[in-house]
Amino acid sequence: MALDRGIVGVEQGPWTRTWSSDDALIYALGVGAGQLDPTKELAFTTEYAHGVTQRVLPTYAIALGQFGGPPLKLGDVDYTQLLHAEQTLTVHRPLPVAGTIELRRVITDVYDKGKGALVVTETTGSDPADGQPLFATRSSVFIRGEGGFGGDRGPSVDFAVPDRAPDATLRFPTALNQALIYRLSGDRNPLHADPAFAAAGGFERPILHGLATYGITVRLLLGEFADGDPDQLATVDGRFTKPVLPGEELVVSAWRDGDSVLFRTANGAGDIVLDRGRLGLTG
């Protein structure tokens, strides 16, 4: 088996994705909206609450962009050895509650990390009516056993949180069925539902989607630093460092830095699971 390193520069698309109000609600439930108190976050969890207008969590753009389209062609690789490594989202315009987007995707880089290869993909979503961009997202996946081919290791980015106590510490206990809910938004990777597939990848049981941890983290940060207003999100990025098991607690440590929030997410034992986080706000 081998990763096809000739995939760099290969473009896919355009294709379209259409979503409904129900799809947006299901995504919100998948990243824990209303889970601790069903009377709150109603803008994301219901379409008819009195005095509340339904809105969309901005990280739903990632699910729309990365799932439901043509398969990502990586060559003859063992998908039990593939892990989500990094994720970035740039929001140009808020997503509507329901609609259609036009999507394009390109593999920009394949880096040699020694024990594995890092494949970087960029996806853009635009409004098919006027061609204006709605969002761009960049995703990196690490494929164990595919490194050592003598390629570029890729750029190194400096990151450090301020040398002070966090401005906020946010806690969220994930549900035992969190992955089963989140997968309904498009990521049907059996690693998150099938015990046999998870065992083949070296896990004791199915793990939570990295993008579920990502979405939960962003939702908590918007609630803390933007009064829950999804339209204030401009950018967000982070690096996945350790798998999360459904049922584990997530602990987000956050530092305000001007119009940005630096963050790290750990599990209840203190192990960092999402690192190098930076959330940019519109002001």
Side-chain angles (χ1 to χ4, degrees), residues 10-174:
V10 173
E11 298 185 11
Q12 291 181 291
W15 71 93
T16 59
R17 282 289 310 273
T18 297
W19 72 99
S20 67
S21 165
D22 284 356
D23 294 325
L25 297 175
I26 290 169
Y27 175 81
L29 296 176
V31 296
Q35 191 164 302
L36 300 184
D37 185 346
T39 68
K40 296 184 177 179
E41 301 182 280
L42 291 175
F44 304 123
T45 60
T46 182
E47 73 284 4
Y48 57 72
H50 179 71
V52 176
T53 299
Q54 186 183 351
R55 306 179 78 180
V56 183
L57 285 167
T59 47
Y60 184 43
I62 301 173
L64 290 172
Q66 293 184 193
F67 308 109
L72 188 62
K73 298 177 180 179
L74 300 176
D76 188 16
V77 301
D78 181 354
Y79 283 88
T80 67
Q81 302 303 305
L82 185 150
L83 294 171
H84 204 155
E86 298 170 316
Q87 187 71 48
T88 296
L89 172 66
T90 300
V91 179
H92 299 297
R93 290 158 55 184
L95 285 175
V97 169
T100 299
I101 52 173
E102 186 172 85
L103 295 152
R104 290 177 171 80
R105 179 170 64 204
V106 60
I107 296 175
T108 61
D109 298 282
V110 175
Y111 295 123
D112 185 353
K113 296 295 186 178
K115 293 183 179 180
L118 190 72
V119 180
V120 184
T121 305
E122 293 186 358
T123 303
T124 57
S126 60
D127 186 335
D130 59 17
Q132 294 300 306
L134 288 170
F135 65 84
T137 184
R138 185 176 70 249
S139 178
S140 302
V141 295
F142 183 78
I143 309 175
R144 293 176 291 187
E146 293 291 348
F149 54 85
D152 182 5
R153 283 190 58 83
S156 177
V157 179
D158 292 332
F159 178 89
V161 299
D163 186 19
R164 66 174 193 270
D167 297 318
T169 300
L170 312 170
R171 296 178 177 272
F172 182 81
T174 64

Side-chain angles (χ1 to χ4, degrees), residues 160-215:
V161 299
D163 186 19
R164 66 174 193 270
D167 297 318
T169 300
L170 312 170
R171 296 178 177 272
F172 182 81
T174 64
L176 289 172
N177 65 345
Q178 199 84 53
L180 298 180
I181 301 171
Y182 183 83
R183 70 189 293 272
L184 299 179
S185 290
D187 187 349
R188 300 301 180 97
N189 185 339
L191 180 63
H192 309 293
D194 182 351
F197 191 93
F203 299 103
E204 61 183 82
R205 58 189 176 93
I207 64 175
L208 185 63
H209 307 69
L211 284 177
T213 297
Y214 195 92

Side-chain angles (χ1 to χ4, degrees), residues 213-263:
T213 297
Y214 195 92
I216 290 167
T217 297
V218 172
R219 180 179 61 79
L220 294 174
L221 292 171
L222 287 175
E224 178 70 21
F225 294 98
D227 295 323
D229 182 1
D231 295 353
Q232 289 194 41
L233 182 69
T235 62
V236 61
D237 59 83
R239 177 180 295 179
F240 302 103
T241 53
K242 186 179 178 66
V244 173
L245 293 176
E248 287 188 313
E249 182 181 43
L250 298 178
V251 182
V252 183
S253 301
W255 295 260
R256 187 69 189 247
D257 183 24
D259 288 338
S260 296
V261 177
L262 306 180
F263 65 89

